[in-house]
Amino acid sequence: MTDKLTHVRADGTAHMVDVSAKAVTARVAEARGRVLLSAKAIEALRSGNVPKGDALAVARIAGIQAAKRTPDLVPLAHPVAVHAASVELTVQDDGVDITAEVRTADRTGIEMEALTCVSVAALALIDMVKAVDKHARITDVRVTAKSGGRSGDWREESL
């Protein structure tokens, strides 16, 4: 690996990178993930018969809240102003696809906020359906696109 790890000092200790000299730019990050569910849980979601209530709405709100709390959860993540966060949950035959988009105008990227958004939305969804499906599983959480900042724009090739 020829690249220097930005969050590690020469002596090997972790530290928060100083971004104070960086320019403020508009930045967007998209992340995706899946929650694999049983046919019984899918039917409960589609029919609106989840015992705890509107699981998709709860997951959506949990994801948005999580994006705003990322620096509280990820030790070296910078507090950035989350200017917008959206979460889409799409019920499929074998689970729920989750897509989050988070926007800011700040000095550093917002990828961690998008990942946190998807992850917590998935956790909230599982919490809502666990009475119906004790084997629900989170999978494929990843950043799928980003724009803004010095490194420019990027999009997952498979999209």
Side-chain angles (χ1 to χ4, degrees):
M1 186 168 167
T2 58
D3 294 334
K4 182 179 137 190
L5 297 174
T6 58
H7 287 72
V8 179
R9 293 186 182 117
D11 68 358
T13 59
H15 73 104
M16 187 177 208
V17 174
D18 182 358
V19 297
S20 59
K22 292 174 78 177
V24 171
T25 60
R27 298 163 185 266
V28 180
E30 179 187 275
R32 294 180 186 214
R34 299 196 85 224
V35 176
L36 300 176
L37 295 168
S38 67
K40 185 176 178 183
I42 295 298
E43 175 54 32
L45 286 170
R46 287 182 171 154
S47 66
N49 290 324
V50 175
K52 286 187 167 184
D54 189 343
L56 300 176
V58 169
R60 185 177 300 106
I61 296 301
I64 292 167
Q65 286 181 310
K68 298 185 292 183
R69 300 296 303 265
T70 299
D72 295 333
L73 302 169
V74 181
L76 299 179
H78 290 85
V80 297
V82 174
H83 293 137
S86 64
V87 182
E88 298 298 325
L89 295 105
T90 307
V91 179
Q92 305 289 354
D93 289 342
D94 62 345
V96 176
D97 292 333
I98 304 170
T99 302
E101 182 181 274
V102 184
R103 295 175 173 271
T104 191
D106 219 312
R107 289 178 166 81
T108 190
I110 200 150
E111 296 90 345
M112 294 311 300
E113 286 74 8
L115 287 167
T116 302
C117 186
V118 167
S119 298
V120 172
L123 290 169
L125 180 62
I126 288 175
D127 182 50
M128 293 296 290
V129 301
K130 67 186 176 189
V132 179
D133 186 352
K134 294 181 183 354
H135 301 287
R137 184 171 32 139
I138 299 169
T139 185
D140 298 323
V141 176
R142 74 231 185 254
V143 174
T144 53
K146 68 169 275 317
S147 66
R150 184 178 59 208
S151 63
D153 298 353
W154 173 84
R155 188 160 209 51
E156 186 178 71
E157 290 183 22
S158 65
L159 294 177

